Amino acid sequence: MTLLKVENLEKYYPIRRGVFRSVVGHVRAVDGISFSIEEGQCFSLVGESGCGKTTAGRTILNLQKSTGGRVFYRGREITNLPSSAMRPLRRHMQLIFQDPVGSLNPRFTVGRIVGEGISIYEPQLGRGERIDRVCKLLETVGLPADAWRRYPHEFSGGQRQRIGIARAIALNPEFIVCDEPVSALDVSVQAQIINLLRDLQQQFNLSYLFIAHDLAVVKHISDHVAVMYLGRIMEVAPKAALFDNPCHPYTLALLSAVPVPDPNVKSSRIILKDSVPSPANVQPGCPFESRCQQAEACCARELPPVVEVSPGHDVRCWHVK
């Protein structure tokens, strides 16, 4: 069953100049993306920094109002719902932040951080019951139960991220946006957090929107992967199809940058020319045209259509038939 459906989602930021702050253009952070997430599935958004992944996640959760498009949660449209209408849905839709330091209030104990949502949505629980619940959550994410008495600065980066995960699952949500949850952690700790997220997904039947720029990480946790560039999804496919048969030139470039642990295997790196264009100056053609080694005249004139290569494997490129 489809849990979340996104249709042509857009998020533009106005560019204002002059004394009267007139709008002279827009930054197209998210420029018409569409996908759906099934129950119990992990759907990953990957791409370079600044391509709009985080903005897409926050707009889907209605933390930022969209410019256009629609978002459906269990068949109900939640696009730009007012705060009062979104409030009952918040407990079902949570967010794990990228920064395990900045996302935790240093003045609050771990017990207050993890239990804050419980106290808001389940005010009938007494203090003792709430502390018991927090202790069980901390043990679930691999922390000692007595950690509830301590403050965030007393923990390592990986432990702080576990606190953030405990906070996210405190209200038994169905859907969690994981906004680059391991990018700020050491490699050894990354594996532990990824394994924890996988275990929690199976234990609680969670659905994830996993935002990342590391394809090696994405490969271990995803069911479907969408490759995003300059606000648009260039390729989306089941994980096996995307890694075994990548079609878009940008996907091929990203995969070529993934380190191969076997020293006997030689991989050729695809070096992209130029730099990422500004999302404030989007050209009418393919967003990747200025950096693509296969670009032709048609690529600069018109946005390429979406081509279905195989069931569930869609590519936006003129060179894919």
Side-chain angles (χ1 to χ4, degrees), residues 90-306:
R90 292 291 183 202
R91 65 179 304 158
H92 304 298
M93 309 169 71
Q94 292 292 314
L95 174 63
I96 299 173
F97 295 90
Q98 176 180 358
D99 182 7
V101 179
S103 62
L104 303 179
N105 192 324
R107 297 178 180 271
F108 288 1
T109 63
V110 170
R112 182 173 177 182
I113 290 170
V114 176
E116 189 170 20
I118 300 173
S119 62
I120 292 173
Y121 284 92
E122 300 180 26
Q124 73 278 7
L125 294 180
R127 183 174 183 272
E129 293 176 295
R130 189 165 63 251
I131 291 175
D132 288 343
R133 182 102 151 258
V134 169
C135 290
K136 291 179 180 177
L137 286 165
L138 292 174
E139 290 176 336
T140 299
V141 299
L143 292 173
D146 62 358
W148 72 272
R149 301 174 181 272
R150 297 155 64 186
Y151 288 85
H153 72 270
E154 301 179 57
F155 297 89
S156 67
Q159 290 173 323
R160 288 171 183 165
Q161 194 60 288
R162 290 176 187 269
I163 294 169
I165 294 172
R167 175 176 59 185
I169 65 172
L171 296 171
N172 298 315
E174 299 175 310
F175 174 63
I176 299 179
V177 174
C178 306
D179 184 11
E180 302 210 38
V182 298
S183 64
L185 306 176
D186 293 339
V187 175
S188 59
V189 180
Q190 288 183 7
Q192 297 173 16
I193 298 299
I194 290 297
N195 290 334
L196 172 62
L197 290 172
R198 290 182 63 183
D199 293 341
L200 293 175
Q201 182 183 20
Q202 296 173 1
Q203 184 177 350
F204 299 109
N205 193 33
L206 297 171
S207 301
Y208 292 146
L209 173 60
F210 193 88
I211 297 170
H213 61 265
D214 189 340
L215 281 168
V217 170
V218 165
K219 190 174 183 178
H220 287 286
I221 194 171
S222 306
D223 296 299
H224 279 69
V225 182
V227 178
M228 197 168 175
Y229 184 81
L230 212 63
R232 291 189 179 274
I233 290 178
M234 310 309 291
E235 184 168 5
V236 59
K239 177 181 67 176
L242 186 113
F243 281 90
D244 295 341
N245 182 34
C247 296
H248 197 279
Y250 181 57
T251 308
L252 293 167
L254 287 181
L255 288 172
S256 74
V258 177
V260 179
D262 188 349
N264 297 318
V265 176
K266 294 183 179 181
S267 58
S268 57
R269 176 77 184 273
I270 299 175
I271 306 298
L272 298 177
K273 59 183 180 180
D274 300 327
S275 57
V276 181
S278 169
N281 186 28
V282 178
Q283 301 302 311
C286 175
F288 191 60
E289 180 269 338
S290 64
R291 307 180 74 193
C292 183
Q293 297 176 352
Q294 305 177 33
E296 297 179 0
C298 62
C299 301
R301 288 196 306 264
E302 188 177 354
L303 183 70
V306 176

